[in-house]
Amino acid sequence: MFCGLTGIIWLHRKIQDAFFLVVGSRTCAHLIQSAAGVMIFAEPRFGTAIIDERDLAGLADVHEELDRVVGQLLARRPDIRLLFLVGSCPSEVIKLDLSRAAERQNQIHHPKVRVLNYSGSGIETTFTQGEDACLAAMVPGLPASTDSAPALMVVGTLADVVEDQMRSLFDRMGLQVSFFPPRNSQAMPVVGPNTRYLLAQPFLADTARALQSCGAQHLPAPFPLGVEGTTAWLQAAATEFGVAPEVFEQATAAPRQRAEKALAVQRQMLQGQRIFFFPDSQLEIPLARFVHRELGMDLVEVGTPYLHRQHMAAELALIPAGTRISEGQDVDLQLDRCIADAPDLVVCGLGLANPLEAQGITTKWAIELVFTPIQGYEQAADLAGLFSRPLKRRLKLAA
Amino acid sequence: MQLTLWTYEGPPHVGAMRVATAMTDVHYVLHAPQGDTYADLLFTMIERLPRRPPVTYTTFQARDLGGDTAELFKDAARQAMARFNPAAMLVGSSCTAELIQDDPGGLAQALKLTIPVVALELPSYQRKENWGASETFYQLCRHLVHNPATASETADKPAKARPTCNILGPSALGFRHRDDVKEITQLLNQLGVDVAVVAPLSASVADVQKLAEADFNVVLYPEIGLAAAQWLQRQFDQPYTKTVPLGSHATRDFIAEVCTLTGLPQPAQDPSNAHAHWYAKSVDSTYLTGKRVYIFGDATHVVAAARIASQEMGFEVVGLGTYSREFAREVRDCAKRYGVEALITDDYLEVETQINALQPELILGTQMERHIAKRQGIPCAVISAPVHVQDFPARYAPQMGFEGANVLFDTWVHPLMMGLEEHLIGMFREDFEFHAGAAPSHLGSTRPAAENVAPVVAAPVSAPVATPVAAVALPTAPAPTNTLTTDSVQKVAAPAQTASNQATWSPEAEKELGKIPFFVRGKARRNTERFAQDQGVATITVET
């Protein structure tokens, strides 16, 4: 499994004036480089301050070193308004106090740049949990809401195209909605006791807790994957804000029918196929629910790195009783189970995909499910396509 | 602390993984936090290995830190032993585990395993990937190699008909290692030399134990194999080859060296597949003469590429450098031969700055230089790791030996326009398809796009850093476009200048510039602008 640093790769695309500075080792820099692929060449808004032996010799001048590196960075990137100091395993093990460092940088660079910190280390976070830590770090700085009327907030990074679709659906229901994280650090949404929030992503435990402490209230719902998930997710907001059933129907009927029609094609390919999920992103349970209920796939095992029972309650209710769900991982034991079960399709990381294919097991690499727009009605068939493509390919090459 | 956006090398434990993965029955137990498993995908995706690298991670988490991480390590080692049943085990720490100071070597010893256990000390905060690979292979040799004397004395073997050698250095994730081994093995066989062991690539523990039995060693990649070869020489009096057979000339030197070592007769002529030499002599290659080339990569490939570029292709080497600090001296000596100063750095922004200043017509480099070249519209070929998945090709594509020389000729010349093509394009310069703004087809549409966009984008971005002090302190400013970087280079060259002093081009002068062939246009533009600055001319006209 990846560590939380990987979240930087999609977060920096979302918040367009933010820079993510990892304080870590060469390994961290190498990890991000390997995970980011060609993106690394596009002058991205992330980098690593590599700790060297001089920094390890004594803690005294680490903060001065950080001053220098941050100064160097901000001079080079004058467009940056929000800087995240991202903790890593090495910075945490040497107990480098990044929250104090962030405060200090805030004083130096105020008011032009705001500096926040969070941990993306492997010892604390798994893959998408990095986004959770990042958003949770932003919550205390959100402007307090002065309005007393209830307001809707969608929490979790969505691709811009998905965000636009969701906004227009809520518009048609007559609901005003804010999105968190915002596309620009200067346009932070307000939060307060009147805020009702929907989670767009399943991996936001800490962010939800932080929002809760601002008085915001969670609207429990399945996640907006597939037609069923999207409808239920929208319905949760509609119910809370008293949208009339016929208004809801009018707003959602057309895209829902389009998506159902497109899904029917995919279902022919996938019906009855047995699927096995290795843990990766916490998206596994909602995805399993989608492929089972809307595509007719059989669930062999659903692995997830971390299971938040409360946030996942609505999803678990839709999963057939007795489904093998595993939290965390012992990779060797899980591989044994996987090979013994001989599923038709395995969702796993890139480290396992080719080795499993070489053993004759068809795979779908999981990270694509995080980087591709998959939420909402219009993307439902695309999402199904991600699962059917490897199977189609296997058939083609075998012919 | 060092601000890094892109690194040429991974941490040293990735080098150790490259050695472990190359071998057939070695397992590496790595004390590392969850997340460090990312390195697996380098092997399964970039090299497309059909199996998992033989590495077990302890994957400790925050909640383990207060407890017994040492016990965690012992469990992982025990389980790896039971599950994978290796013939030897490597144990070590990644960067984070180095800080918590468990001692993998001592802990593994306490397990009393029945196989050889090699403890690796890889200082993550000082050293890097290639050093890690070299050190790992060296330590494996130290622990495993048997004394050959005992073997030959006891067994009454017949006198060997042919001399034998080992090939040292090829590893997993090595740039063209797979095919180089094949090519050099064939070459040696044709000379009358048998290859005893190739290591670490596809070697078993038993193979490594036999290393000292061969007559000599061939060091293909000094970055990984030299330390072990030197130790074998000290320990067993086993000589090793100093020439890396990259390029036709070096291959001939290599053959001569092998013949001297073995007393075998030197072949009178090159094999029939040695085409590169004739191709370079053919008239179509005349246009390659004096093309200005910039070379960057690992030390071995840079030194070899410089020789090929200069002596076999007739290019002019205008700059070279390496990220391999371990071999900085060799690269500096090499640079002196071409009258240039070597750039020893692992900061790609420094490389970009130098490329900008030199405006070469061809760049030979790594994946990173490929992208620098793309941004600047300069032809480029990849000669060294780090490389991407496309440089682990399905086809046979060695770099070494005579077939390697053929591959190099094609690879380097393709991004350039060949003589006849260049001549025809010159003739039909104003033709709609061949007009000056049209990029060479292999570069797609990057050039005209870059030139059109450049002034628009550069203005707002460069304005805030326009003070000379900032610009000089940060000559390596990230460049979204070609022009901004050229700006910063000029500010380094003339610190008193500010952006507002930049000469602008009159439309007629721009048109005149367009008549200059594209491959020297960048240099012409730069020289003219510098001239204009020196003369205090604000607008460049045709007269300027």
Side-chain angles (χ1 to χ4, degrees):
Chain A
M1 283 187 272
F2 281 126
C3 64
L5 293 181
T6 335
I8 291 171
I9 292 157
W10 64 87
L11 280 167
H12 92 280
R13 304 280 311 143
K14 187 73 198 177
I15 315 174
Q16 290 163 10
D17 57 352
F19 193 102
F20 294 79
L21 181 65
V22 178
V23 182
S25 63
R26 180 168 300 281
T27 311
C28 306
H30 197 234
L31 163 109
I32 300 181
Q33 174 173 324
S34 309
V38 289
M39 221 186 263
I40 199 81
F41 300 114
E43 192 54 40
R45 280 171 286 101
F46 54 80
T48 309
I50 294 188
I51 298 171
D52 57 32
E53 38 181 347
R54 288 178 306 119
D55 303 313
L56 294 177
L59 273 175
D61 72 329
V62 168
H63 289 281
E64 282 167 35
E65 282 287 294
L66 209 52
D67 287 357
R68 183 178 59 77
V69 169
V70 170
Q72 190 183 349
L73 174 73
L74 292 177
R76 233 174 64 179
R77 301 298 302 262
D79 49 328
I80 298 306
R81 305 297 304 275
L82 177 61
L83 174 68
F84 288 99
L85 300 180
V86 188
S88 65
C89 302
S91 73
E92 253 149 56
V93 169
I94 63 169
K95 305 246 181 287
L96 176 56
D97 190 345
L98 279 187
S99 66
R100 216 159 54 102
E103 261 173 49
R104 182 185 157 100
Q105 298 304 326
N106 254 326
Q107 283 162 7
I108 300 174
H109 299 286
H110 184 80
K112 211 179 151 274
V113 183
R114 238 179 91 211
V115 186
L116 294 173
N117 80 289
Y118 73 89
S119 166
S121 72
I123 56 178
E124 300 260 347
T125 59
T126 303
F127 195 27
T128 48
Q129 275 182 297
E131 170 170 338
D132 188 25
C134 172
L135 300 194
M138 274 195 279
V139 170
L142 294 182
S145 161
T146 49
D147 215 351
S148 60
L152 178 62
M153 179 194 268
V154 170
V155 182
T157 299
L158 292 170
D160 285 357
V161 46
V162 177
E163 194 178 296
D164 291 342
Q165 287 166 14
M166 294 300 191
R167 192 189 299 277
S168 110
L169 283 169
F170 284 120
D171 269 355
R172 273 185 266 166
M173 288 185 242
L175 294 182
Q176 282 288 314
V177 60
S178 61
F179 287 87
F180 179 64
R183 295 187 197 184
N184 189 297
S185 73
Q186 303 304 296
M188 289 287 179
V190 296
V191 68
N194 62 323
T195 305
R196 308 284 178 273
Y197 68 91
L198 271 176
L199 292 177
Q201 301 281 10
F203 41 73
L204 298 173
D206 289 348
T207 308
R209 203 173 305 128
L211 286 167
Q212 220 92 349
S213 67
C214 300
Q217 286 169 38
H218 177 219
L219 303 179
F223 294 92
L225 296 170
V227 175
E228 184 185 37
T230 305
T231 306
W233 187 76
L234 292 168
Q235 184 68 62
T239 308
E240 174 71 19
F241 288 89
V243 176
E246 50 289 3
V247 175
F248 183 80
E249 182 60 23
Q250 208 170 19
T252 57
R256 202 171 65 218
Q257 278 153 17
R258 257 202 318 274
E260 273 166 357
K261 214 172 132 196
L263 274 181
V265 182
Q266 298 284 351
R267 191 182 168 107
Q268 287 174 349
M269 177 86 205
L270 293 167
Q271 179 103 41
Q273 301 280 346
R274 300 166 65 246
I275 189 167
F276 188 110
F277 287 87
F278 276 84
D280 202 53
S281 62
Q282 298 184 46
L283 280 162
E284 295 83 3
I285 289 174
L287 286 171
R289 180 262 302 159
F290 164 68
V291 299
H292 174 68
R293 291 176 62 94
E294 297 186 46
L295 299 170
M297 297 183 84
D298 292 337
L299 307 177
V300 178
E301 173 167 335
V302 184
T304 179
Y306 178 73
L307 179 60
H308 192 296
R309 294 223 163 253
Q310 197 189 338
H311 287 173
M312 215 49 88
E315 292 287 353
L316 290 171
L318 295 172
I319 293 234
T323 300
R324 200 163 82 208
I325 294 178
S326 67
E327 184 181 6
Q329 186 179 35
D330 182 321
V331 69
D332 289 317
L333 294 180
Q334 196 169 24
L335 271 171
D336 289 348
R337 291 201 298 274
C338 176
I339 286 162
D341 289 332
D344 298 305
L345 186 66
V346 173
V347 180
C348 63
L350 292 173
L352 295 178
N354 272 336
L356 282 171
E357 291 278 354
Q359 293 192 47
I361 295 177
T362 307
T363 61
K364 164 71 230 139
W365 39 288
I367 192 167
E368 198 177 4
L369 297 159
V370 178
F371 289 130
T372 314
I374 56 170
Q375 292 85 1
Y377 291 125
E378 311 298 334
Q379 281 67 236
D382 297 350
L383 175 56
L386 291 179
F387 294 100
S388 64
R389 196 176 306 131
L391 291 166
K392 247 183 229 162
R393 182 165 185 78
R394 166 146 296 222
L395 282 178
K396 274 189 184 232
L397 295 186
Chain B
M1 252 176 223
Q2 185 202 355
L3 179 60
T4 312
L5 302 161
W6 202 85
T7 87
Y8 284 100
E9 288 183 76
H13 72 258
V14 169
M17 286 179 72
R18 288 176 56 185
V19 171
T21 306
M23 292 183 64
T24 57
D25 53 2
V26 168
H27 200 88
Y28 184 19
V29 180
L30 181 61
H31 205 15
Q34 168 181 279
D36 279 6
T37 52
Y38 81 90
D40 281 357
L41 74 86
L42 302 173
F43 299 91
T44 59
M45 295 306 289
I46 295 179
E47 199 172 354
R48 282 190 241 240
L49 280 192
R51 56 194 160 84
R52 293 169 67 207
V55 182
T56 295
Y57 305 83
T58 55
T59 55
F60 57 82
Q61 297 177 26
R63 61 169 182 266
D64 302 319
L65 285 179
D68 201 350
T69 49
E71 198 52 47
L72 212 64
F73 179 85
K74 280 158 82 174
D75 285 345
R78 234 182 258 123
Q79 282 165 15
M81 187 63 212
R83 179 172 285 268
F84 300 103
N85 193 24
M89 191 184 278
L90 296 169
V91 298
S93 296
S94 81
C95 53
T96 306
E98 195 182 330
L99 297 171
I100 60 176
Q101 295 185 336
D102 290 330
D103 170 23
L107 292 169
Q109 215 171 21
L111 292 177
K112 300 202 188 324
L113 300 176
T114 49
I115 54 165
V117 175
V118 181
L120 300 172
E121 296 284 342
L122 304 176
S124 312
Y125 298 91
Q126 301 159 30
R127 305 292 193 151
K128 289 181 278 190
E129 180 178 330
N130 278 337
W131 187 90
S134 170
E135 171 70 10
T136 304
F137 184 46
Y138 164 71
Q139 291 296 348
L140 267 171
C141 290
R142 283 198 55 162
H143 280 80
L144 297 178
V145 175
H146 288 165
N147 199 325
T150 53
S152 58
E153 275 164 17
T154 49
D156 225 352
K157 281 193 288 185
K160 274 182 296 184
R162 283 155 67 102
T164 59
C165 71
N166 305 309
I167 293 182
L168 303 184
S171 73
L173 267 188
F175 176 60
R176 306 296 167 90
H177 287 195
R178 178 195 71 191
D179 297 344
D180 283 348
V181 167
K182 192 173 168 198
E183 184 66 22
I184 296 308
T185 303
Q186 280 170 4
L187 185 88
L188 289 162
N189 289 344
Q190 279 159 14
L191 288 174
V193 179
D194 286 335
V195 174
V197 175
V198 178
L201 191 61
S202 53
S204 64
V205 168
D207 290 336
V208 172
Q209 286 171 332
K210 287 188 299 201
L211 275 180
E213 291 171 23
D215 296 315
F216 69 102
N217 287 314
V218 168
V219 179
L220 282 197
Y221 308 100
E223 276 87 350
I224 299 172
L226 184 61
Q230 287 172 335
W231 178 80
L232 287 164
Q233 183 177 42
R234 283 198 304 273
Q235 217 63 21
F236 305 104
D237 231 6
Q238 202 177 25
Y240 63 90
T241 57
K242 315 284 193 297
T243 316
V244 179
L246 270 163
S248 307
H249 288 356
T251 300
R252 275 182 224 118
D253 291 353
F254 172 79
I255 290 170
E257 194 181 357
V258 169
C259 292
T260 311
L261 277 174
T262 54
L264 289 165
Q266 213 165 317
Q269 58 192 33
D270 292 347
S272 58
N273 71 333
H275 308 298
H277 182 56
W278 158 243
Y279 270 42
K281 273 167 74 173
S282 81
V283 291
D284 200 40
S285 297
T286 314
Y287 280 73
L288 301 177
T289 314
K291 287 243 189 236
R292 307 173 69 255
V293 60
Y294 183 84
I295 306 171
F296 196 87
D298 70 20
T300 302
H301 285 88
V302 162
V303 171
R307 181 175 180 192
I308 300 165
S310 165
Q311 295 174 19
E312 298 176 30
M313 306 288 270
F315 294 149
E316 183 195 351
V317 177
V318 293
L320 60 80
T322 184
Y323 57 81
S324 316
R325 284 189 192 279
E326 293 86 358
F327 292 83
R329 197 196 311 162
E330 285 82 348
V331 176
R332 285 205 182 91
D333 289 348
C334 166
K336 268 191 212 126
R337 290 199 286 279
Y338 304 101
V340 296
E341 180 96 15
L343 178 66
I344 313 293
T345 184
D346 55 4
D347 183 351
Y348 75 90
L349 295 168
E350 279 185 49
V351 179
E352 186 169 43
T353 307
Q354 195 174 48
I355 288 174
N356 257 307
L358 291 168
Q359 286 291 331
E361 294 157 74
L362 175 67
I363 298 170
L364 303 174
T366 72
Q367 198 56 222
M368 194 64 230
E369 283 68 45
R370 196 165 70 82
H371 283 265
I372 294 171
K374 196 190 263 175
R375 276 205 290 266
Q376 307 203 13
I378 300 174
C380 176
V382 171
I383 58 158
S384 153
V387 294
H388 233 302
V389 62
Q390 70 268 33
D391 277 304
F392 283 88
R395 68 177 188 281
Y396 184 55
Q399 305 281 290
M400 294 187 177
F402 291 110
E403 186 58 32
N406 297 341
V407 170
L408 290 177
F409 182 89
D410 288 346
T411 312
W412 296 10
V413 166
H414 279 179
L416 297 167
M417 259 187 288
M418 283 303 281
L420 184 62
E421 193 182 345
E422 199 169 302
H423 172 73
L424 289 172
I425 287 176
M427 237 165 84
F428 301 114
R429 194 189 301 289
E430 302 302 323
D431 187 280
F432 78 101
E433 259 182 310
F434 301 116
H435 67 87
S441 56
H442 57 272
L443 291 176
S445 55
T446 53
R447 174 196 307 281
E451 283 182 357
N452 292 341
V453 173
V456 186
V457 180
V461 180
S462 62
V465 288
T467 62
V469 178
V472 172
L474 302 160
T476 53
T481 66
N482 184 352
T483 307
L484 175 59
T485 324
T486 317
D487 275 358
S488 44
V489 171
Q490 284 173 351
K491 280 173 205 153
V492 178
Q497 302 285 349
T498 62
S500 59
N501 280 359
Q502 290 283 308
T504 54
W505 289 74
S506 75
E508 298 76 30
E510 278 280 6
K511 206 173 160 205
E512 192 66 23
L513 193 67
K515 289 186 193 164
I516 299 171
F518 75 88
F519 48 88
V520 288
R521 204 178 298 144
K523 192 167 158 57
R525 179 188 283 274
R526 204 170 54 81
N527 285 348
T528 314
E529 280 172 5
R530 185 173 293 164
F531 173 77
Q533 277 177 8
D534 293 346
Q535 303 291 313
V537 180
T539 304
I540 296 167
T541 60
V542 179
E543 288 73 38
T544 321

